[in-house]
Amino acid sequence: FLSFKLSAIILFQSMIQLFNVTKKYGSASPALDNISLKIEKGEFVYLTGPSGAGKTTVLKILFGWEHFDEGQVLVQGINVSKLDSKNIHTLRRSIGVIFQGYKLLTNKTVFENVAFAQEVTNRDRKTIKFKTWEALKNVGLTSKKDSFPAHLSGGEQQRVAIARAMVNAPPIILADEPTGNLDQEISLEILKLFEELNLNGVTIIFATHSQDILKLGNHRVIVLNRGKVVSS
Ligand code: ADP
């Protein structure tokens, strides 16, 4: 009975929930000021707001990269405020990230960058090769597999980052301004890749301050301003 009850709880739980979360960096006014949010399994949500609104901070908290001062955060039932080394690994295995501060490895080829992301798994070499190839095929980059990141365009580098984020098939992808510095045509291609992943069941949180990107995709929009949720 207990196990039934537990699985029922897991089944009905939202993918991601923030309850009254406050985050301060030093003594400045809070970067996140008592925010609450709920994102369901399989949703595609935009997280928007002006620069400094708190978008990156939300994503970093969800990935366990940044601590917070007050409130509760649940990601797939994992209590992010009480992370020990075991559940931080479980948390991070369930999330693919495309962050500005998480760049491609410059001394590795496209193929090696995507293969490297699987070293934390217990896949054998053959499976790693196969999965890398599949991920590069999904983002249309097999012809660049032996190139180094410096020899790729901005859009291609971003596609490698997406391949790296999806290669371990995480149920959640967090993307921080993944179309920043890309022109509109390439941005639309990148957005389409995320939409395809979402159609395959991946929950996507896509942070952007670009009104153009918001208009290009028909998705729920969470607006932050000065660390508060303005609308969701
Ligand atoms: P956004 O992603 O919407 O631009 P951020 O989450 O990066 O917003 O930043 C929210 C607020 O927190 C800003 O006022 C920013 O200056 C501050 N902030 C972010 N990271 C740090 C940090 N490491 N140290 C101090 N302040 C920070």
Side-chain angles (χ1 to χ4, degrees):
F1 171 70
L2 185 65
S3 81
F4 165 75
K5 211 168 144 191
L6 281 176
S7 59
I9 290 168
I10 289 164
L11 208 61
F12 294 121
Q13 201 166 48
S14 299
M15 200 68 164
I16 293 169
Q17 270 179 293
L18 286 82
F19 304 93
N20 305 106
V21 172
T22 294
K23 161 75 187 170
K24 292 180 190 146
Y25 293 101
S27 56
S29 54
L32 298 180
D33 188 359
N34 194 28
I35 71 165
S36 295
L37 284 175
K38 195 192 241 185
I39 294 162
E40 304 297 341
K41 186 172 184 317
E43 266 200 285
F44 185 130
V45 297
Y46 282 132
L47 187 59
T48 192
S51 177
K55 305 181 292 295
T56 304
T57 302
V58 168
L59 298 184
K60 284 184 172 168
I61 284 176
L62 294 178
F63 195 57
W65 253 358
E66 208 51 93
H67 294 291
F68 49 99
D69 300 289
E70 284 166 46
Q72 292 279 343
V73 177
L74 291 178
V75 176
Q76 282 207 306
I78 297 171
N79 185 343
V80 180
S81 40
K82 293 196 179 124
L83 285 177
D84 56 27
S85 60
K86 180 167 167 263
N87 55 21
I88 200 160
H89 282 112
T90 313
L91 175 77
R92 291 190 176 163
R93 259 204 301 276
S94 64
I95 302 179
V97 290
I98 294 124
F99 278 173
Q100 278 145 0
Y102 188 53
K103 299 256 184 309
L104 300 174
L105 302 167
T106 53
N107 59 343
K108 290 190 187 290
T109 64
V110 164
F111 194 91
E112 288 164 349
N113 262 281
V114 179
F116 190 67
Q118 297 162 80
E119 305 244 316
V120 289
T121 64
N122 48 16
R123 289 176 181 167
D124 58 51
R125 300 240 143 251
K126 206 169 138 206
T127 311
I128 287 179
K129 266 192 169 173
F130 174 75
K131 296 278 182 191
T132 303
W133 184 259
E134 287 281 288
L136 290 176
K137 209 160 74 182
N138 283 333
V139 300
L141 270 187
T142 49
S143 63
K144 300 275 178 178
K145 70 179 181 55
D146 296 322
S147 301
F148 286 91
H151 298 144
L152 301 177
S153 69
E156 287 168 343
Q157 289 185 24
Q158 204 57 288
R159 283 193 275 153
V160 181
I162 295 170
R164 179 179 64 180
M166 62 189 257
V167 74
N168 294 328
I172 301 168
I173 287 194
L174 306 177
D176 194 7
E177 300 278 357
T179 55
N181 304 322
L182 300 177
D183 65 36
Q184 177 138 0
E185 197 184 329
I186 308 291
S187 296
L188 184 58
E189 264 178 38
I190 299 292
L191 177 60
K192 288 230 166 92
L193 278 175
F194 283 105
E195 290 180 337
E196 270 172 44
L197 287 170
N198 180 242
L199 284 176
N200 287 315
V202 181
T203 304
I204 310 266
I205 307 184
F206 186 123
T208 180
H209 68 269
S210 158
Q211 289 300 318
D212 290 339
I213 293 291
L214 296 184
K215 282 186 216 136
L216 284 169
N218 182 21
H219 306 294
R220 177 181 154 207
V221 182
I222 297 172
V223 186
L224 295 181
N225 195 14
R226 298 176 181 223
K228 287 187 186 294
V229 178
V230 178
S231 70
S232 65

